[in-house]
Amino acid sequence: MKHLSLIIILLSINSNQKTDKLIGRYNYLIEDSNTYLLKDKITFKDSVFVFDNKYMPKGKISYGNTILLENFINTDLIISIPKDQIAKDTILFYMHDKQSSAANYLDVVTGKGKLIRIK
């Protein structure tokens, strides 16, 4: 009986857990002068992302306390997303310049934007 209840508990925990990865299709908007401009559509699949714009390369996603998106045409650009944002339909993100003179380039925000889930 103990084993049966343990199995039931483990199954309920696994079915209630939410994913901690970016998955799905989003509109990619950049803030410019307090307005958001739609730049492209982006699709996330586990640890990679692709833009609808065929000239953009595939990017990679690094998961940790902060989620990082890398490998844009501008290789100096990196996007950070607070981990608590990925469960939302509208995800706020921050842009950083890898060539920043700061000791840690993630401490300096050079821009921001939103990802809005396409349903």
Side-chain angles (χ1 to χ4, degrees):
M1 192 66 177
K2 286 183 181 178
H3 297 292
L4 181 60
S5 63
L6 182 60
I7 291 171
I8 292 170
I9 291 171
L10 288 175
L11 289 175
S12 68
I13 289 173
N14 286 338
S15 65
N16 289 336
Q17 286 180 341
K18 292 184 179 179
T19 182
D20 58 347
K21 304 225 181 219
L22 280 168
I23 297 173
R25 199 149 182 256
Y26 292 80
N27 284 317
Y28 176 73
L29 293 89
I30 303 291
E31 183 184 83
D32 185 27
S33 302
N34 293 325
T35 60
Y36 285 93
L37 305 172
L38 177 64
K39 291 296 188 179
D40 206 342
K41 293 180 184 351
I42 186 169
T43 302
F44 294 99
K45 293 181 183 174
D46 197 28
S47 61
V48 296
F49 64 90
V50 293
F51 285 92
D52 282 4
N53 179 340
K54 61 184 176 187
Y55 300 109
M56 296 289 282
K58 278 188 179 178
K60 75 176 192 174
I61 305 170
S62 303
Y63 292 97
N65 290 338
T66 301
I67 298 163
L68 302 176
L69 307 179
E70 301 179 70
N71 198 22
F72 294 90
I73 284 179
N74 177 356
T75 56
D76 294 333
L77 175 68
I78 190 165
I79 288 179
S80 67
I81 301 171
K83 192 167 188 147
D84 65 341
Q85 291 285 314
I86 64 171
K88 300 177 180 178
D89 285 341
T90 300
I91 298 172
L92 301 175
F93 66 81
Y94 303 97
M95 295 181 282
H96 310 275
D97 184 358
K98 288 183 183 179
Q99 300 300 319
S100 172
S101 60
N104 182 1
Y105 61 86
L106 291 175
D107 290 339
V108 179
V109 174
T110 58
K112 59 185 179 176
K114 292 181 184 179
L115 297 170
I116 300 175
R117 183 182 302 273
I118 300 171
K119 295 184 181 186

